[in-house]
Amino acid sequence: MDEVFKALADGSRRSLLDRLHARNGQTLNELCEGLAMTRQAVTKHLAILEEANLITTIRHGREKLHYLNPVPIHQIGERWIRKFERSKLAALNQLKRQLENGNE
């Protein structure tokens, strides 16, 4: 999970993930379009994302297509975000019960 956090720490890599979320299965050339980065820099960022299992690639003829893998991000949500929501939800539930009991 450390690799995922390190990969997500960079804004350029998050931008690439956003682009894949908007349209999955892009080539390197497509991902480079409109970015203020060199092709080599994009390639390095994609390698880091692939090492963190945030993207996968599939060869289609001469092209290499990049796909978003949302599973590691989901795992972060499950492990790190949801457990902090539980206490808030429990507090809201308790408040709801108190308000309902006060109206009886």
Side-chain angles (χ1 to χ4, degrees):
M1 198 161 285
D2 287 343
E3 287 180 342
V4 175
F5 280 111
K6 288 176 186 175
L8 292 173
D10 184 88
S12 297
R13 290 191 283 272
R14 290 191 307 271
S15 175
L16 288 168
L17 291 174
D18 287 340
R19 292 175 74 138
L20 288 172
H21 181 263
R23 190 169 63 83
N24 229 353
Q26 294 186 58
T27 65
L28 177 59
N29 286 337
E30 291 170 327
L31 288 168
C32 288
E33 287 176 14
L35 293 180
M37 274 189 278
T38 64
R39 182 180 168 97
Q40 183 179 6
V42 173
T43 301
K44 287 182 181 182
H45 284 302
L46 290 172
I48 292 168
L49 291 169
E50 194 168 6
E51 286 174 23
N53 199 29
L54 289 165
I55 65 168
T56 59
T57 58
I58 297 174
R59 287 241 176 239
H60 187 265
R62 296 175 67 184
E63 295 180 326
K64 186 176 180 181
L65 303 177
H66 300 83
Y67 293 90
L68 175 66
N69 177 16
V71 173
I73 295 170
H74 175 73
Q75 290 171 333
I76 287 172
E78 288 293 311
R79 180 168 180 202
W80 295 102
I81 297 170
R82 288 224 172 126
K83 71 179 176 182
F84 295 109
E85 291 177 348
R86 284 187 203 131
S87 61
K88 291 178 185 177
L89 293 173
L92 287 173
N93 190 33
Q94 182 180 3
L95 177 62
K96 177 183 178 256
R97 285 185 194 159
Q98 288 173 349
L99 292 171
E100 288 173 348
N101 290 336
N103 291 335
E104 292 178 0

